Each structure stands twice: as structure tokens, then as C-alpha cells.
Amino acid sequence: MVDGVAKAVKLAGADPDILRKRPQYVNTENAEDVEYTTDVIVVGGGGAGLSAGASILQEEKNVILVEKFPAIGGNTVRTGGPMNAADPKWQNTFAALPGESATLEEMLNMEESLIDEEYLADFRILKQQISDYSNETKEKGEYLFDSAVWHRIQTYLGGKRKDLQGNIIYGQYDLVKILTDKALESVEWLEEIGVEFDKEQVEMPVGAKWRRGHKPLKNEGYAFVSALKRYVEDNGGQIITDTPVKELIIDSGKVVGIIGRGLSGQKVTIHANAVILASGGFGANTKMLKQYNTYWTEIDDDVKTSNSPAITGDGIILGQSAGAALVGMGFSQMMPVSDPDTGALFSGLQVPPANFVMVNQKGKRFVDEYESRDVLTQAAIDNGGLFYLIADDEIKKTAYNTSQEKIDKQIEAGTLYRAATIEELAEEIGIEPEILKNTVEKYNSYVDASKDPEFGKEVFDLKVEVAPFYATPRKPAVHHTMGGLKIDTETHVLDKEGQIISGLYAAGEVAGGIHAGNRLGGNSLTDIFTFGRIAGKKAVEDFSE
């Protein structure tokens, strides 16, 4: 049976078989227990784990990567692909979109009293950068502005949230600084590994708040996974699939290995100098989501998820067994524009938020479509959950992760709607034609004016005016968990007293402290590749000293 990860790969237009190769021993009946010794063990075969593995090999040490599923890839293979990294030299070659200058102007006018002390110096630097940019564009015209400091402040403000008890949480400064300062370095590192990026356009995923996304040329998230897997295997790394890790081996307070179970139930013991946990969050574990939730008023028992079924919090539980502290566990993120039946991201027309026109089941807009994911999600929930993304033939051309063949199949299946006029489209989705027509006409006038007096949307691209017209049904689904194991800037896992747990590291969604209450779209890939490679390098450095 093809597992969920392989399905996602196939939907992306790639060959899932390259990710499904298994060592011979896990396919044999009545297999005997096995034992290995290596330099570093990586638990989890997604982007963070593969990056850690590649980084270890670059340090000329041995690594065994252990994955509980038949296929590697985790959530990384399911992503749309754009990863955030400020690259002004590249971004400055693109024209600014209408309204982006207004967002920068808001920053200039923001009171310093709203900024927490750790971020205040950077905020002042950002204000000067924006002021210099504004003076320069008066002569040269507007281009797309960015900087690592702007990325940092947006990550901080985008994650600053209040929980149900009124407690305010925001990203740990030193971790957010690493994320944003090292982001472009991660893009360049991936290029060296073999990932090709599209230099012809700069992307903005849902809820990213700015156009700084570097998107692979080929097959979205699969492009990262396939390149990293190839690098790991070509350089002598070993990947063991079908082997859930059940236990950490701890000797005199130091983590020195793992015990797992193979496909046939055999005991798999691996000894090493260090263990890196890179097994993802707990977005596919509804019980765990409900147990820790302190943000959403309610999480339904049957809530859908965009996650791989493998993402159930195993690494967090393993870390706790070694005494690890947890941080930010109460905050999870919904992807507002998910498939209402499956939670998947690849159906329908997924277009840039500048081209989002979100209407509720009455045919009316209900939110600034350029907002963060949690704001969009709450607005959708307040409007009955189900809503539609309205597009025309020009907006359709900006959609990613699709093709005309996929679009036609979905229309035939009744999961995507197309009509010659807005009125006919309204009838197909059960909306009063005049209401939807009026909504679209008003939206188009806001695009012309670059101003939305109803909901405050500031950044626009295309109007909805060229037939045929499309409606994509969407509904929020669990997408990312912000909390996890507490780490320092070198990815050491920390205990409840803030002390390093010797031999234990964590990278990616299994770790907390970076995204706080809400993650910007495009930041998860930056997170996993940045901290994954840091973890691999640091694990080697520590035991080589």
C-alpha cells in the first residue's frame, strides 16, 4: 500500500519509489535483532534530519538516519516549496507590488513601546533601513525591499501572541536571529547539495507577510528531499526505514544511542556519540494537540491535518524521557487554505495571497487575505469554516503545485468549480449570484485603488475579470505545531534547569522557541535546513573535542 508520503510525492509529479528503498533486513521474515555502531544517529527522515545527516557527512563522520515510516520525507515532501531568506541583491531586481510600501510605512510609524526589549535595537535598525530605502526610491522608483533584520522583526511580530489565559509569548531572540541571519546561507548550502531554485520569481507563501520565498525549480518539497537523500547516500550515510525509535540509550547522563523496532518486530540497537532528534511535531496526533492546546478555543476530534501521518510527537516524548524541558507546546497552527475533505494543500488553485479573494458561504469577503495564518483561520472558523477562493483565468496562471490536467480532473470530480461568468460560478457553489458579483466588483475597485476600505488589505496584484472563473473550496486544517523541546542556539536539548543534556540535539519542528504563537509561511523550511545543518555540525564538534 502506498503510504501518505509517497502519495504526496506522486501528486507532486515525481517518482515515489526513490524514497521507498529499504535495507534488506527489514523485509525478511523472522529477522534477528541487529546492532550497529556509528558516530551520530539522526532520528527522522524529513528535511531537518536529512540536513543534519548531510552536515555530519561534510564533517567526514559516519551517520545512520532512522525513519519510522516506509518512506523518508516527512512533512518536507508535502510542502509547496518556497523557503524564506532575505536576499536583497536578488529581491531588489523585482518591482514592488502595490501596497508593499504601505506595510513599510506602518513599520516607520510603529511605536517603540510595542516592541519587546530584546528586539528594540533591531527595530531601530529596520526603521533606518526603511527610511534609506524610501529616500532612494524617490529617485529610482520602488523595488522589492528586504533585509535579514526585516525578516527577523516580521518573524517576531508574526509569532507574538496571547494564549487563552492572557499570557504573551514571542520567539526567543537568539534563536530567531540565527534563523534569519543564516537563512540565505541555508539556501546557498542547499544549492551546493544539488537543489536548483527558480531565480525568475520571488514567492510569498500563505501567511508569509512578505515576498522572500526561494522556490525549487522541480517538484516542490520533493526537490529538497530527493537532493538531500542522494547526497547522504552518495557520501556513505545509511538510511534505515520502517524502524520507529522506542527508547534512548542513556549512560551516566549522556545519550549514547537508540533502540528501535524493525518491520518484523526485531530489536534495532544503534550506539553512537550523539543523537539528533529531527522527527517533526505532533500535528497528526489529535490527542496530543488537545492535551497541550492553550490557543484555540476548541480543537475538533475529527480535525483534518496537512501533515504526514508520521508526525505524532515521538521525538518530543523521547526527549522528555531524557529530562528535556518543553517550550510553547500550547500553540499550534492551522493552514487556512486546506482541502476541506483531506486537509491536503495541493488541490484546487493555490495562488499567492496578493491574488486571494476569500468569500464565505454567503459570497462575501470576510478578512484581509494578506493576513497571518492564525488570523485567516479564526476568520474562517467564525464564518462557518468552509469558504471559497475565487479566481479568474489570469489569476489561475499564478497558481503553483498544479497543472491544467489536474485542474480539469478536479472540476470533473466536483472538488473545484469553473464557470463562464461570476453569476454562473455563484450558482454552482450555492451562492446568490448578485452578492458574489457585487463582492468581486468591489474587490476589483480596491485593486485599482490599491486600498481596501473594508478589511484593510494593502497588497494586491490581479483583478478578477477574465473568464473562465474558478472557486476552490477551502477549510482550515492542522498544519504546524510551534512548541517542542527546548534548545539553545547550537541545538543542544536543555533540561528543566536550562542545562545541556549531553549527547542530545534537536532540530526542526520537534524543537520549540522560535515561532512562538504563529509561524510565518515559508519559515518552516528555513528552520529545518538552518538548524538541521547546525545540529549535524555541532554534534560532530562536541564529541571530537
Coordinates of all heavy atoms in Angstrom, one line a residue, residues 277 279-282 288 292 313-321 324 326 329 481 483-485 509-511:
L277 N 17.5 14.5 17.4 CA 16.1 14.3 17.2 C 15.6 15.3 16.1 O 15.7 16.5 16.3 CB 15.3 14.5 18.5 CG 15.7 13.5 19.6 CD1 15.0 13.9 20.9 CD2 15.4 12.1 19.3
S279 N 12.4 14.5 14.3 CA 11.2 13.7 13.9 C 9.9 14.5 13.7 O 8.8 13.9 13.6 CB 11.0 12.6 15.0 OG 11.0 13.2 16.3
G280 N 10.0 15.8 13.7 CA 8.8 16.6 13.5 C 8.0 16.9 14.7 O 8.4 16.6 15.8
G281 N 6.9 17.6 14.5 CA 6.0 18.0 15.6 C 5.0 16.9 15.9 O 5.2 15.7 15.9
F282 N 3.7 17.4 16.3 CA 2.7 16.4 16.6 C 1.3 16.8 16.0 O 0.3 16.6 16.5 CB 2.5 16.3 18.1 CG 2.4 17.6 18.9 CD1 1.1 18.1 19.3 CD2 3.5 18.4 19.2 CE1 1.0 19.3 20.0 CE2 3.4 19.6 19.9 CZ 2.1 20.0 20.3
M288 N -2.7 14.6 21.4 CA -1.7 15.4 21.9 C -2.0 16.9 21.7 O -1.7 17.8 22.6 CB -0.3 15.0 21.3 CG 0.9 15.5 22.0 SD 2.4 14.6 21.3 CE 3.7 15.4 22.3
Y292 N -2.3 19.7 25.0 CA -1.5 20.8 25.3 C -2.1 22.2 24.8 O -1.6 23.2 25.2 CB -0.1 20.7 24.5 CG 0.8 19.7 25.2 CD1 1.0 18.4 24.6 CD2 1.5 20.0 26.3 CE1 1.8 17.5 25.2 CE2 2.3 19.1 26.9 CZ 2.5 17.9 26.4 OH 3.4 17.0 27.0
G313 N 4.6 13.4 17.3 CA 5.2 13.8 18.6 C 6.2 12.8 19.2 O 6.6 13.0 20.4
D314 N 6.6 11.8 18.5 CA 7.5 10.8 19.1 C 8.8 11.4 19.6 O 9.3 11.0 20.7 CB 7.9 9.7 18.0 CG 6.7 9.1 17.3 OD1 5.6 9.6 17.6 OD2 6.8 8.1 16.6
G315 N 9.4 12.3 18.9 CA 10.7 12.8 19.3 C 10.6 13.7 20.6 O 11.5 13.7 21.4
I316 N 9.4 14.3 20.7 CA 9.2 15.1 21.9 C 9.1 14.2 23.2 O 9.7 14.5 24.2 CB 7.9 15.9 21.8 CG1 8.1 17.0 20.7 CG2 7.5 16.6 23.1 CD1 6.9 17.8 20.3
I317 N 8.4 13.1 23.0 CA 8.3 12.1 24.1 C 9.7 11.5 24.4 O 10.0 11.3 25.6 CB 7.3 11.0 23.7 CG1 5.9 11.7 23.6 CG2 7.3 9.9 24.7 CD1 4.8 10.8 22.9
L318 N 10.5 11.2 23.4 CA 11.8 10.7 23.6 C 12.7 11.7 24.4 O 13.4 11.3 25.3 CB 12.5 10.4 22.3 CG 12.0 9.1 21.5 CD1 12.6 9.0 20.1 CD2 12.5 7.8 22.3
G319 N 12.6 12.9 24.0 CA 13.3 14.0 24.6 C 12.9 14.1 26.1 O 13.8 14.3 27.0
Q320 N 11.7 14.0 26.4 CA 11.2 14.1 27.8 C 11.7 12.9 28.6 O 12.0 13.1 29.8 CB 9.7 14.0 27.8 CG 9.0 15.4 27.4 CD 7.5 15.3 27.5 OE1 6.8 14.6 26.7 NE2 6.9 15.9 28.5
S321 N 11.9 11.8 28.0 CA 12.4 10.6 28.7 C 13.9 10.8 29.2 O 14.3 10.2 30.1 CB 12.4 9.3 27.8 OG 13.4 9.4 26.8
A324 N 14.2 16.4 29.1 CA 14.2 17.6 28.4 C 13.0 18.5 28.8 O 11.9 18.1 29.2 CB 14.0 17.3 26.9
L326 N 10.2 21.5 27.9 CA 9.4 21.8 26.7 C 9.1 23.3 26.7 O 9.1 23.9 27.7 CB 8.0 21.0 26.8 CG 8.1 19.5 26.8 CD1 6.7 18.9 26.9 CD2 8.9 18.9 25.7
M329 N 4.3 24.6 23.9 CA 3.5 23.5 23.5 C 2.0 23.8 23.2 O 1.3 23.1 22.5 CB 3.6 22.3 24.5 CG 5.0 21.7 24.6 SD 5.4 20.7 23.1 CE 4.3 19.3 23.3
T481 N 3.0 22.6 14.5 CA 3.0 22.8 16.0 C 4.2 23.6 16.4 O 5.3 23.2 16.0 CB 2.9 21.4 16.7 OG1 3.9 20.6 16.2 CG2 1.6 20.8 16.6
G483 N 5.3 24.4 19.5 CA 6.1 24.0 20.6 C 6.9 22.7 20.5 O 6.7 22.0 19.5
G484 N 7.8 22.5 21.4 CA 8.6 21.3 21.4 C 9.7 21.3 22.4 O 9.6 22.0 23.4
L485 N 10.8 20.6 22.1 CA 11.9 20.5 23.0 C 12.7 21.9 23.1 O 12.8 22.5 22.1 CB 12.9 19.4 22.6 CG 12.3 18.0 22.4 CD1 13.3 17.1 21.8 CD2 11.8 17.5 23.7
E509 N 10.8 20.9 13.6 CA 9.5 21.1 14.3 C 9.5 20.4 15.7 O 8.6 20.7 16.5 CB 8.4 20.7 13.4 CG 7.0 21.2 13.8 CD 5.9 20.8 12.9 OE1 6.2 20.4 11.7 OE2 4.7 20.9 13.2
V510 N 10.4 19.5 15.9 CA 10.4 18.8 17.2 C 10.9 19.8 18.3 O 10.7 19.5 19.5 CB 11.4 17.6 17.1 CG1 12.8 18.0 17.1 CG2 11.1 16.6 18.3
A511 N 11.6 20.9 17.9 CA 12.1 21.9 18.8 C 11.1 23.1 18.9 O 10.5 23.4 17.9 CB 13.5 22.3 18.4

